[in-house]
Amino acid sequence: MTLTLSYDDKIAILDLGDDENRFSPEFLDDIEAKLDEVIQAGAHGLVTTATGKFYTNGLDLDWLGAHGERADWYVGKVQGLLARVLTLPVPTAAAVVGHAFGAGAMLAMAHDFRVMRADRGFFCFPEADIRIPFTPGMAALIQAKLTPQAAVASMTTGRRFGGTEAAGLGLVDATAGEGAVTAAAVEVLRPLGEKDPGTLGAIKTTMFGPAVAALRAAGEQTRG
């Protein structure tokens, strides 16, 4: 799995890869490093996308199964990434080119905007069906972005939403056709221009304060 970073003018485009793009510890380290690069480069925005039929399938359950004693550390690491994306001091958009499941859908939700392929791929929180309750931080993230009706419809049912249905419910902001999702996400950010990073980061941190605190609490407990 190789993450690649490119630019369309001053908008950074981070490709998560061409497989299931699951959150292995190495993947999490790589994406954190790429976010560092984006900020250091003074990018005017960030789009995350993927190459294959998955945006990301979320948690690396194989790794977790083999390292159960490190589960708390791992969840703290995942939630730390979600909190960082949620408060990133540049405008962000997720180009959901394919399936986004579980923590992968949460990563998309942590962005400011989401564009999803209209005709293929599912956006899904499967936790109710796979018997993995949401952590307080993950629940707070999703509920910070959705109406109560949409949160119930997506969090308690395990339903798989196609692009058009996801847009109607408010899980994503817009849809686009095959091959056009990433470009559409870039165009969402382009009119926003250059924002002062300190101001934008402070605004997001205040807007999503309870979710950020809940997400980061897991990492703090692990360290403490």
Side-chain angles (χ1 to χ4, degrees):
M1 183 188 312
T2 302
L3 280 69
T4 57
L5 184 62
S6 60
Y7 285 83
D8 183 330
D9 195 6
K10 292 192 176 182
I11 296 175
I13 302 173
L14 178 58
D15 190 320
L16 301 178
D18 61 0
D19 58 14
E20 292 189 18
N21 306 329
R22 288 187 180 269
F23 293 176
S24 68
E26 295 76 19
F27 177 90
L28 296 170
D29 287 340
D30 286 348
I31 195 170
E32 291 275 12
K34 294 297 187 187
L35 294 180
D36 289 342
E37 290 183 36
V38 168
I39 301 306
Q40 291 166 4
H44 290 186
L46 169 68
V47 169
T48 62
T49 186
T51 305
K53 67 178 184 178
F54 295 91
Y55 172 70
T56 161
N57 240 356
L59 299 183
D60 188 338
L61 299 180
D62 289 340
W63 186 93
L64 197 54
H67 302 85
E69 75 284 357
R70 302 187 71 191
D72 289 345
W73 170 85
Y74 176 72
V75 170
K77 195 172 180 69
V78 170
Q79 293 195 170
L81 173 64
L82 296 176
R84 185 176 186 191
V85 173
L86 186 62
T87 58
L88 207 68
V90 297
T92 59
V96 186
V97 295
H99 302 307
F101 274 73
M106 294 174 206
L107 177 62
M109 198 62 67
H111 290 66
D112 299 331
F113 308 100
R114 286 156 296 287
V115 180
M116 186 174 175
R117 182 170 165 178
D119 61 329
R120 193 171 182 182
F122 292 114
F123 196 102
C124 177
F125 298 118
E127 281 75 7
D129 290 331
I130 61 175
R131 300 183 180 183
I132 300 178
F134 294 95
T135 66
M138 292 174 176
L141 165 63
I142 299 167
Q143 290 176 278
K145 292 299 186 84
L146 299 179
T147 66
Q149 294 87 349
V152 170
S154 59
M155 294 175 69
T156 68
T157 66
R159 285 172 58 194
R160 300 181 177 193
F161 298 93
T164 302
E165 193 176 13
L169 194 62
L171 297 174
V172 300
D173 300 283
T175 59
E178 180 181 2
V181 180
T182 301
V186 169
E187 292 309 313
V188 169
L189 300 185
R190 201 182 302 280
L192 299 179
E194 184 178 9
K195 304 297 182 189
D196 176 70
T199 302
L200 186 58
I203 287 172
K204 291 185 185 182
T205 300
T206 300
M207 282 180 69
F208 304 118
V212 171
L215 285 167
R216 289 182 172 155
E220 291 169 359
Q221 290 170 1
T222 302
R223 289 191 297 270

